[in-house]
Amino acid sequence: MAETSGPTVLDDLAFLDELIGTGPQTWDVIGELPVELLRELGAMGLLCAEVPTRFGGLGADSRRNGELTAHIGGLCSSLRSIMTSQGIAATAVRRFGDRAQRQRYLGELTGGTLAAVGFSEPEAGSDLAAMRTRIERAGDTVTVSGEKRWVTGARYADLLLVLGRDGENAAAVLVPSDAPGVTVEPVLDPMGCRAAGHSRVLLDEVRLPASAVLGGGGHALALLFTTALSYGRMSVAWGCVGILRACLRAATAHAKVREQSGKPLAEHQLVAKHLASLFTAEQVATQACRQASERWDAAAPDMAVAAVLAKHVGATNAARSAGEAVQVLASWGAQDGHVVARAYRDAKLMEIIEGSNEISELILAEHALEHS
Ligand SMILES: Cc1cc2nc3c(=O)[nH]c(=O)nc-3n(C[C@H](O)[C@H](O)[C@H](O)COP(=O)(O)OP(=O)(O)OC[C@H]3O[C@@H](n4cnc5c(N)ncnc54)[C@H](O)[C@@H]3O)c2cc1C
């Protein structure tokens, strides 16, 4: 349950602009985030702001965390991706961990420890039920074996939240990234979110104490995925709002001052149409996110589908609108590192992650068939 009341660091996010500065432009080009900054943000509780204060978090409600996510997403989608992973890990610990695990891991996740989350495997992309990773308990120990793909932030992470098979059921285990048997291989030259540290993670008979398995395991596969993915969808949706706001800012600022054929671009009606479209996209995505956050905070029965809707609206609008922003800036934005160039590449990937467009549409159609 959210608990934000008095003034907090989340009241005025301008300090982030100063802290992050012009870094995103460089990070995109070199394909790397500064780990010390990630740890600093983590230790301020900003990477998983919904963690309750009694565990060292900021106790933000979903909307406040969403506005934070949008703010960071507007500056740097790679950094926002790290927040998403950290938030998924914290959500899984809160939902599935026992008391001791919540105390230990939530303290770490709000204290500068960085986490990444491994669902996807070579044979299990959209179809996570095809997952093969095994989490096998024997007495006081557990052995984890498998392969995870495209794990955001694994390159920087201290802890890997790994989801896998636990007999007929499923389990989530927290694996230290330096445990014997863990290999992290960075994905080379990703198309977008280039500094997010995506990696292939190999788990070769990794032996850990059984206390690393959240809640002892034995969870229903669908419940485990839906819980973790729902947080991820909310986070990506708000991140897309940030992309849209950044694109809208860049496109309007440019269209006001750049003149062609004797007048500012904004006064050419076909350019103005792009601005109207960007504004509409930002407003629609924001409303979908606000609604989903409300449902999330109320723990409403439709909170999971509201998260899918917000993510779908955010991702599809961001992907289309980032293209329009590039169109308005034309050659002035057509360079790696530029905010609209990054948005164009990053936003496309939002249509793939945390449930692709097609998977989101299947879920929304099923909901419509049941409830309309
Ligand atoms: C930037 C980025 C970050 C990522 N971060 C993580 C991470 O942190 N952790 C992690 O575990 N994974 C991560 N992933 C992996 C991501 O979750 C998968 O890419 C995603 O689930 C899709 O799986 P896939 O790429 O194997 O595509 P596939 O599942 O092979 O799908 C290919 C295409 O077919 C469509 N399709 C598939 N099944 C159906 C169906 N039943 N009906 C209709 N259409 C269908 C899909 O929508 C897609 O268009 C990341 C990926 C990217 C690109």
Side-chain angles (χ1 to χ4, degrees):
M1 186 50 92
E3 51 176 314
T4 309
S5 53
T8 78
V9 70
L10 301 178
D11 288 344
D12 182 0
L13 300 175
F15 77 97
L16 287 167
D17 304 345
E18 208 163 303
L19 195 62
I20 291 168
T22 55
Q25 203 168 325
T26 313
W27 305 334
D28 182 61
V29 174
I30 64 170
E32 194 172 347
L33 292 169
V35 183
E36 35 326 325
L37 175 68
L38 301 183
R39 292 201 188 286
E40 187 180 347
L41 294 171
M44 292 170 80
L46 292 166
L47 297 182
C48 48
E50 289 180 41
V51 171
T53 49
R54 67 181 182 284
F55 296 114
L58 297 173
D61 61 20
S62 174
R63 170 123 173 221
R64 281 194 137 199
N65 187 31
E67 285 296 345
L68 167 69
T69 307
H71 195 95
I72 292 195
L75 296 170
C76 178
S77 282
S78 291
L79 183 51
R80 195 277 310 147
S81 305
I82 301 291
M83 282 180 81
T84 300
S85 299
Q86 190 92 353
I88 295 176
T91 301
V93 171
R94 286 177 70 189
R95 176 69 179 80
F96 298 104
D98 60 28
R99 204 178 159 144
Q101 289 169 328
R102 287 201 293 272
Q103 203 68 44
R104 171 181 170 188
Y105 291 121
L106 294 177
E108 289 182 15
L109 293 173
T110 53
T113 293
L114 301 172
V117 182
F119 300 90
S120 311
E121 300 180 2
E123 307 304 326
S126 301
D127 178 17
L128 287 174
M131 185 183 275
R132 291 184 184 165
T133 294
R134 283 175 292 116
I135 299 176
E136 290 169 335
R137 283 163 301 159
D140 291 344
T141 61
V142 62
T143 306
V144 188
S145 305
E147 176 182 340
K148 297 293 180 184
R149 293 184 76 234
W150 273 85
V151 180
T152 299
R155 176 172 164 192
Y156 312 116
D158 309 291
L159 279 177
L160 304 163
L161 177 75
V162 174
L163 283 82
R165 294 256 164 221
D166 173 12
E168 290 299 300
N169 293 312
V173 59
L174 281 151
V175 180
S177 58
D178 60 358
V182 177
T183 308
V184 177
E185 293 174 353
V187 171
L188 299 178
D189 303 322
M191 168 186 159
C193 298
R194 286 183 175 169
H198 308 113
S199 307
R200 174 178 180 230
V201 175
L202 301 169
L203 302 143
D204 181 13
E205 305 283 322
V206 180
R207 282 168 67 85
L208 301 167
S211 59
V213 181
L214 290 182
H219 306 296
L221 191 72
L223 177 67
L224 196 60
F225 290 150
T226 306
T227 303
L229 284 175
S230 290
Y231 180 90
R233 287 167 178 155
M234 297 289 299
S235 180
V236 169
W238 279 105
C240 287
V241 167
I243 290 176
L244 284 161
R245 289 177 183 168
C247 285
L248 182 60
R249 269 195 305 273
T252 49
H254 184 75
K256 279 183 205 165
V257 297
R258 166 81 175 156
E259 293 194 1
Q260 285 294 277
S261 307
K263 57 184 180 182
L265 291 177
E267 290 179 25
H268 294 282
Q269 288 183 340
L270 290 177
V271 176
K273 185 170 184 294
H274 288 309
L275 301 180
S277 167
L278 268 159
F279 175 66
T280 306
E282 185 275 327
Q283 290 286 304
V284 168
T286 299
Q287 290 308 327
C289 281
R290 286 181 182 161
Q291 176 179 307
S293 279
E294 224 173 76
R295 309 308 285 156
W296 181 271
D297 283 332
D302 63 350
M303 63 188 260
V305 82
V308 173
L309 180 63
K311 190 267 172 183
H312 191 53
V313 169
T316 50
N317 276 290
R320 194 194 62 247
S321 301
E324 290 193 288
V326 173
Q327 198 65 23
V328 172
L329 275 95
S331 63
W332 304 84
Q335 202 165 17
D336 275 356
H338 191 285
V339 66
V340 296
R342 281 188 282 125
Y344 185 64
R345 288 185 278 100
D346 297 342
K348 180 61 205 166
L349 298 185
M350 301 306 112
E351 296 195 302
I352 296 172
I353 59 172
E354 312 297 342
S356 62
N357 281 358
E358 291 78 6
I359 298 302
S360 300
E361 283 163 347
L362 290 175
I363 296 170
L364 295 172
E366 192 182 320
H367 181 81
L369 287 167
E370 256 177 50
H371 294 90
S372 303

